[in-house]
Amino acid sequence: MGREDRRKLLLYYNPYSGNGVFKDNLDHIIERCQHAGFDVSLVRASRDYTIDDALAEENAKEIDRILAAGGDGTMNLCVNAMVKYDIDVPVGILPSGTANDFAFYFEVDSDIDKALDVALGNKFTRADVGYVNGRCFVNVCAMGAMVDVSQKTDPLLKNTLGSLAYYLKAASELPQVHAMQMTLTTPDEVIEEELYFMAVMNGESAGGFRKLSPKSSMNDGKLDIVAFRKMPIVEFGPLLFEVISGRHPNNKNVLYFQTDSLKIESNEDMSTDIDGEKGEQLPLEFSVLHERLKVFVSEETWNYD
């Protein structure tokens, strides 16, 4: 293959994601990309030079694809920059973070070579992107008393225990939670509720809970709203187990619905989280960028889709 025939691949990676396995395999990853016929441009996540900076400088017409290596936060930064500069090339996911819910949804294997097989292939699907107060999110925007669970969970426990670490932390927080008054406005109704926690979902899983939004689809043009109503604290424990198994949408203490537009207001201060990172302050206004993102998937997932 001549130099003029080689395609350009931008590899954006976070060396601090997960347990650092990715950077130990960086040379192997570059070799595989080059062997597949790509010229590789590297962007290492840092405060001094971001994916936003790189895409502002790159000639978008020359990029064939982008590979994002890290967790959901890394993917979030990549998609925000792509939307900002109107870049519409396919993205390959190399999951290496403690939270890989976006990769989980598309059944991307955590094994580097298997993930590269997908990212260097030619099958992709379209995915929605959530939008809130001027920021994109690929998976979830969460708020309320339980939003700190992921951020408070010890990174070492995340790496060793996986989802169990989140469940243990959530259980330990139960005695301290209190419900907050929220107003939810959709095109069809206004809902006034006292809620412990709410997640506006694009994907299915968040914070280690693999089936938090079991009815979600990432290309239906809708966001799925999952909220836990005020309830006797003794009912919270059993509900947690229903959430783990994905049987909670019909629980009387759960508010679950879909919408393409939503405004959330409250007189109370509360923490918010966007794809595992600190989120925006209320009020929050949500919309959907329908099928804005191209995501590489395996042959099996592509045929299923």
Side-chain angles (χ1 to χ4, degrees), residues 131-270:
Y131 198 70
V132 55
N133 289 22
R135 284 177 64 181
C136 297
F137 63 96
V138 295
N139 194 61
V140 60
C141 177
M143 65 222 66
M146 296 294 289
V147 80
D148 292 330
V149 167
S150 176
Q151 296 174 358
K152 288 180 178 178
T153 305
D154 188 290
L156 182 60
L157 284 178
K158 291 180 184 178
N159 289 333
T160 23
L161 298 180
S163 297
L164 179 59
Y166 293 101
Y167 305 152
L168 293 174
K169 186 62 183 177
S172 72
E173 293 287 319
L174 288 179
Q176 287 79 43
V177 300
H178 71 279
M180 300 180 182
Q181 184 68 42
M182 298 189 197
T183 301
L184 316 180
T185 304
T186 76
D188 302 315
E189 60 181 332
V190 177
I191 303 169
E192 300 274 357
E193 288 272 4
E194 286 187 87
L195 303 171
Y196 284 118
F197 167 83
M198 182 166 65
V200 179
M201 303 289 299
N202 188 36
E204 292 179 335
S205 59
F209 294 89
R210 290 302 192 192
K211 299 179 180 180
L212 182 58
S213 183
K215 299 179 182 180
S216 285
S217 169
M218 274 200 188
N219 61 2
D220 61 357
K222 302 286 185 181
L223 297 168
D224 286 53
I225 315 305
V226 185
F228 297 165
R229 293 184 166 106
K230 184 178 181 179
M231 69 191 86
I233 198 67
V234 294
E235 296 182 14
F236 213 113
L239 175 59
L240 182 61
F241 285 102
E242 288 195 15
V243 173
I244 293 172
S245 62
R247 295 183 289 107
H248 59 288
N250 296 322
N251 187 295
K252 65 179 182 179
N253 294 317
V254 175
L255 175 66
Y256 194 117
F257 64 93
Q258 291 183 318
T259 184
D260 59 6
S261 176
L262 175 68
K263 184 175 183 179
I264 300 174
E265 300 169 280
S266 177
N267 291 326
E268 299 191 54
D269 290 331
M270 65 182 72

Side-chain angles (χ1 to χ4, degrees), residues 17-31:
S17 289
N19 53 17
V21 170
F22 174 82
K23 62 181 179 180
D24 295 335
N25 289 273
L26 183 56
D27 185 68
H28 171 67
I29 292 166
I30 294 173
E31 181 184 31

Side-chain angles (χ1 to χ4, degrees), residues 66-123:
I66 296 173
L67 269 56
D72 291 327
T74 302
M75 193 70 197
N76 176 284
L77 293 173
C78 183
V79 171
N80 269 278
M82 291 177 67
V83 171
K84 179 178 179 179
Y85 296 109
D86 196 27
I87 295 173
D88 190 31
V89 299
V91 176
I93 312 166
L94 302 180
S96 62
T98 52
N100 297 298
D101 294 301
F102 192 72
F104 175 78
Y105 179 87
F106 290 104
E107 301 176 340
V108 178
D109 201 286
S110 58
D111 177 83
I112 289 177
D113 278 304
K114 291 180 180 178
L116 279 169
D117 288 341
V118 173
L120 297 175
N122 58 10
K123 302 297 184 185

